[in-house]
Amino acid sequence: MCRIAGFASLENVTQREEVLSSMLNAVVHGGPDDFGTYFDEKVAIGHRRLAIIDLSPAGHQPMFLDDDLIISYNGEIYNYQELKAELSAVGIIFKTHSDTEVILQSYRHWGTKAFDRFEGIFAFALYDKRSSKLLLVRDHVGVKPLYYHIKDRVLVFGSEVRVFHQFNKNWRGDEKWKILFLAFGSIPHPYTTLENVYQLDAGAFMEINIDDFSHEVHFYSHSGRETANISSGNELSDVKDALIATIKKNLIADAPLGVFLSGGIDSSLITLLADEFKQGIKTLSINFDEATFDESPYQKQVVAKAKNVVHTSYRINEQIFWEDLPDIWRAMDQPTIDGVNSYFVSRCAHSEGLKAVLSGLGADEIFGGYASFKRVKWIRRIRKLPFKRTIAKLLKYWRSAYGRLTFLTIAGPIGDYLFLRGIHTPDVIAKILAIPEHKVWSALKEVKVGIPDKLDDRAYVSALESRIYMTNQLLKDTDCMSMWHALEARVPFLDIRLIRLMESIPVKKRYNEKVPKYLLTTCIPGLLPRDIIYRKKNGFTFPISVWLKNKPEYVRDLIDINVASQGIIDGFEKGDDHWSRCWSLAVLKQFK
């Protein structure tokens, strides 16, 4: 797990070594173990290393193969040993024990068809000097970030948006990002805070011809394309086998590795399965003085049932939150209303000497853990109502949540998602930013997400939550905050084989309204304590609302006060507005 950065240009970039060095220094937190650079007359490629597989100097990057393939790679290929064996069987000789060399040899042998063979979390830049092409490649689900700019015969890329500020100190901001952030609570794919800086699509690679900077994006991963015959018809057995296989893969590491244990279904299942396959694995939990947020009783049940785990519980209180807030701001690469929880659990894992952790992220989206799976049937009914915007404006004076009805005037998935999870409505955003409301609507309608129209309601919500909420907020926040603490976050529930298996199971067999996350919780009978399966869903939440209310003077210092923001603060203090609306204004100020 590492950080990558680089650029290519047909024009002369002055002080190229200093520019690339500045880009790499901006992300040193994500790769403190080593660094390397490569230059030729057109291309500059850099790498910061966090050594997890093959800790020796042989894993140094950028890595070369035959002096004409150069790679800078961030991530883990969990099936690299199987691929290595397959390539070795046809006479290919390996010089290292790293998965990085496996990528190079796989590309040499299979070309771009190799990418779909990789099982893991990855983003890399691969320079093929023979064909004069630079490839930017991102994993199937988009776990690892990869940002790029390509315009006017200049390419810039990196693992974080902050590297672009080092390439050009005066990089202009995107004119729509504030609107998008205030609506979504994060910035939706592919946009960023910077003009013409975008995220590469998940399951895709960009191929750039370095001779003339012509470029194309290709998708190597086609969701569902091989699912027809994956399920055997015994869904519980299939899911059990897939879960065990993905946990085993995610435990591969040459550096210390642990598990985040919140006490919910997902992290508890990972803990108990990991305990079966790895002796003395470390588990980490965070608890609070506020009893409502305390999950320690559930954590203790899991630890008691495990055979060999070494458990540590940390207590985060209000004082620690306010003391660490300046560093939380620094850690945020892109604005988000989330991420505080990931920041603290990653900080605790780092203090335990861990370099990699397993997280339960993705299970809610894949197995149906959110309330939205039950609410979706109402969306299509409400969409049939006339005059939604007028109704919304009338109702919001009674209860602000009903104002989100107005989002349903946006056709398709974006309107549905914002109805479910939107933060501020367009009229409020316009007042906060002091812009005409039609500009807000225009920006929101430009956001697109590829979700098939004809899906069962629950399959539709799974896609909606996965491709918007998980992709734009959860994955970005987890990667950003974990790497700020030199920590790799692994997400076994997002294993591509497990995802394709779930896609192949008929929807009516995937979900059961009477049993939470039915396939996940019942595929291994007796593994999870019943109290954990049927507990009320809380998610991994911090008592930020309490801490903000306890320090109103701090909150006002964090926010640019105008009539609109004052109304939001007042509403929060009275209990009429959710804390995230107030918090979003504090985040907004940090990125202005």
Side-chain angles (χ1 to χ4, degrees):
M1 192 60 62
C2 311
R3 282 300 190 238
I4 68 174
F7 54 88
S9 176
L10 292 180
E11 310 297 334
N12 181 41
V13 176
T14 59
Q15 299 180 314
R16 296 196 313 158
E17 290 81 3
E18 290 83 352
V19 170
L20 186 57
S21 178
S22 294
M23 293 170 73
L24 293 175
N25 287 339
V27 290
V28 63
H29 49 269
D33 296 335
D34 190 17
F35 77 97
T37 59
Y38 166 82
F39 296 93
D40 69 10
E41 64 276 8
K42 297 177 183 177
V43 173
I45 299 174
H47 188 263
R48 297 273 353 176
R49 186 183 184 198
L50 179 64
I52 294 176
I53 292 178
D54 189 353
L55 309 185
S56 74
H60 176 79
Q61 295 186 49
M63 186 177 285
F64 298 77
L65 180 63
D66 301 331
D67 294 327
D68 66 332
L69 286 184
I70 302 100
I71 189 172
S72 182
Y73 154 57
N74 169 28
E76 307 289 353
I77 306 297
Y78 300 132
N79 65 330
Y80 78 99
Q81 292 171 330
E82 292 92 331
L83 294 172
K84 185 176 182 179
E86 188 176 351
L87 293 167
S88 297
V90 296
I92 293 175
I93 298 173
F94 287 82
K95 298 179 181 178
T96 75
H97 299 291
S98 73
D99 56 338
T100 311
E101 186 183 3
V102 172
I103 296 176
L104 290 169
Q105 295 284 12
S106 296
Y107 173 76
R108 175 72 85 213
H109 188 67
W110 291 302
T112 58
K113 292 181 179 179
F115 304 153
D116 199 33
R117 289 173 171 260
F118 300 152
E119 297 173 17
I121 52 178
F122 54 86
F124 57 85
L126 178 58
Y127 184 25
D128 185 344
K129 293 188 72 173
R130 287 185 187 177
S131 61
S132 194
K133 290 181 179 178
L134 181 66
L135 304 175
L136 301 180
V137 187
R138 196 172 181 209
D139 66 64
H140 297 82
V141 184
V143 176
K144 300 311 297 178
L146 186 52
Y147 299 94
Y148 71 91
H149 161 90
I150 184 164
K151 187 178 181 182
D152 299 330
R153 304 197 300 178
V154 174
L155 166 74
V156 187
F157 65 88
S159 298
E160 298 185 27
V161 173
R162 69 181 86 227
V163 304
F164 294 86
H165 290 289
Q166 302 305 313
F167 184 84
N168 179 356
K169 304 287 186 184
N170 299 313
W171 206 299
R172 291 179 58 181
D174 180 84
E175 63 179 14
K176 299 187 297 293
W177 80 258
K178 295 177 184 178
I179 295 172
L180 299 179
F181 166 66
L182 289 172
F184 286 86
S186 59
I187 300 182
H189 179 87
Y191 304 104
T192 69
T193 54
L194 298 183
E195 184 178 68
N196 295 320
V197 175
Y198 304 104
Q199 284 198 80
L200 184 66
D201 286 306
F205 67 94
M206 175 181 280
E207 187 175 64
I208 303 104
N209 186 320
I210 298 302
D211 292 332
D212 61 7
F213 271 63
S214 59
H215 57 279
E216 289 184 293
V217 174
H218 306 273
F219 287 88
Y220 67 82
S221 175
H222 302 283
S223 179
R225 63 166 175 53
E226 294 178 351
T227 61
N229 298 315
I230 290 180
S231 176
S232 69
N234 186 340
E235 291 79 18
L236 291 174
S237 177
D238 291 340
V239 171
K240 174 184 175 181
D241 292 344
L243 279 175
I244 290 173
T246 189
I247 294 297
K248 286 181 176 179
K249 284 189 293 186
N250 277 263
L251 290 173
I252 296 172
D254 296 324
L257 178 146
V259 177
F260 290 155
L261 174 59
S262 68
I265 289 172
D266 315 325
S267 64
S268 299
L269 188 145
I270 290 175
T271 297
L272 293 170
L273 283 178
D275 179 58
E276 294 287 331
F277 307 121
K278 194 174 183 70
Q279 182 74 26
I281 194 165
K282 286 188 175 183
T283 54
L284 296 156
S285 296
I286 286 182
N287 291 295
F288 311 98
D289 296 333
E290 292 79 6
T292 307
F293 295 84
D294 182 28
E295 299 186 80
S296 58
Y298 301 105
Q299 297 157 7
K300 289 175 182 176
Q301 285 191 51
V302 175
V303 172
K305 188 166 186 177
K307 303 178 185 70
N308 302 302
V309 303
V310 178
H311 184 66
T312 304
S313 178
Y314 287 84
R315 187 161 293 274
I316 302 298
N317 59 31
E318 183 178 343
Q319 180 181 347
I320 293 172
F321 167 73
W322 289 111
E323 289 176 351
D324 275 33
L325 186 56
D327 196 53
I328 292 171
W329 295 137
R330 288 189 291 269
M332 278 189 191
D333 184 49
Q334 290 286 271
T336 172
I337 60 166
D338 206 353
V340 174
N341 49 4
S342 296
Y343 171 90
F344 279 109
V345 76
S346 298
R347 191 190 77 168
C348 295
H350 180 75
S351 69
E352 285 292 308
L354 298 178
K355 278 198 169 182
V357 288
L358 273 60
S359 163
L361 194 157
D364 285 317
E365 291 80 3
I366 305 304
F367 290 93
Y370 292 128
S372 53
F373 281 83
K374 296 179 180 179
R375 294 173 183 163
V376 62
K377 60 186 177 183
W378 293 103
I379 294 178
R380 287 168 180 170
R381 295 178 185 179
I382 294 171
R383 275 198 175 278
K384 296 177 182 179
L385 292 173
F387 313 117
K388 287 181 285 294
R389 193 177 299 187
T390 301
I391 293 171
K393 287 183 177 180
L394 291 172
L395 287 175
K396 76 174 183 177
Y397 292 107
W398 174 47
R399 186 176 174 185
S400 60
Y402 287 100
R404 290 204 302 267
L405 275 170
T406 189
F407 284 124
L408 292 180
T409 59
I410 302 174
I414 295 301
D416 293 344
Y417 176 83
L418 289 172
F419 170 69
L420 289 169
R421 290 191 179 272
I423 306 302
H424 298 285
T425 53
D427 59 326
V428 175
I429 293 172
K431 292 174 183 175
I432 292 171
L433 300 179
I435 60 174
E437 187 175 338
H438 71 84
K439 286 192 174 182
V440 178
W441 285 104
S442 177
L444 296 179
K445 289 176 181 179
E446 288 181 19
V447 181
K448 307 296 180 186
V449 60
I451 297 177
D453 294 330
K454 296 181 180 179
L455 286 176
D456 173 273
D457 283 352
R458 291 162 296 181
Y460 175 70
V461 169
S462 178
L464 200 69
E465 297 284 20
S466 296
R467 299 181 195 181
I468 305 180
Y469 181 53
M470 184 182 78
T471 295
N472 298 329
Q473 190 163 310
L474 299 183
L475 285 176
K476 281 200 291 188
D477 293 347
T478 298
D479 177 82
C480 178
M481 295 303 183
S482 62
M483 291 300 280
W484 184 255
H485 294 96
L487 183 76
E488 171 181 296
R490 296 182 174 184
V491 283
F493 290 118
L494 296 181
D495 176 81
I496 188 59
R497 288 197 175 188
L498 178 59
I499 290 173
R500 287 176 175 167
L501 169 65
M502 287 295 290
E503 290 173 343
S504 75
I505 297 172
V507 173
K508 63 182 180 181
K509 294 185 178 181
R510 275 188 238 173
Y511 312 109
N512 183 321
E513 291 190 6
K514 295 181 181 178
V515 182
K517 302 181 191 175
Y518 168 67
L519 288 176
L520 189 62
T521 55
T522 58
C523 68
I524 309 178
L527 180 65
L528 288 171
R530 184 177 176 84
D531 287 351
I532 289 176
I533 295 175
Y534 290 97
R535 61 172 292 196
K536 181 181 178 181
K537 181 173 177 58
N538 290 326
F540 180 36
T541 55
F542 271 44
I544 296 178
S545 58
V546 178
W547 297 339
L548 294 180
K549 282 187 177 178
N550 287 346
K551 300 284 186 181
E553 69 281 6
Y554 285 25
V555 173
R556 293 174 186 275
D557 285 343
L558 291 174
I559 294 172
D560 284 333
I561 303 296
N562 60 22
V563 174
S565 61
Q566 183 65 60
I568 293 166
I569 294 171
D570 292 343
F572 166 66
E573 291 178 350
K574 293 175 183 176
D576 296 333
D577 249 333
H578 193 267
W579 68 267
S580 62
R581 294 187 177 93
C582 193
W583 181 247
S584 69
L585 301 181
V587 176
L588 182 69
K589 184 176 180 179
Q590 297 301 314
F591 282 84
K592 289 189 70 172

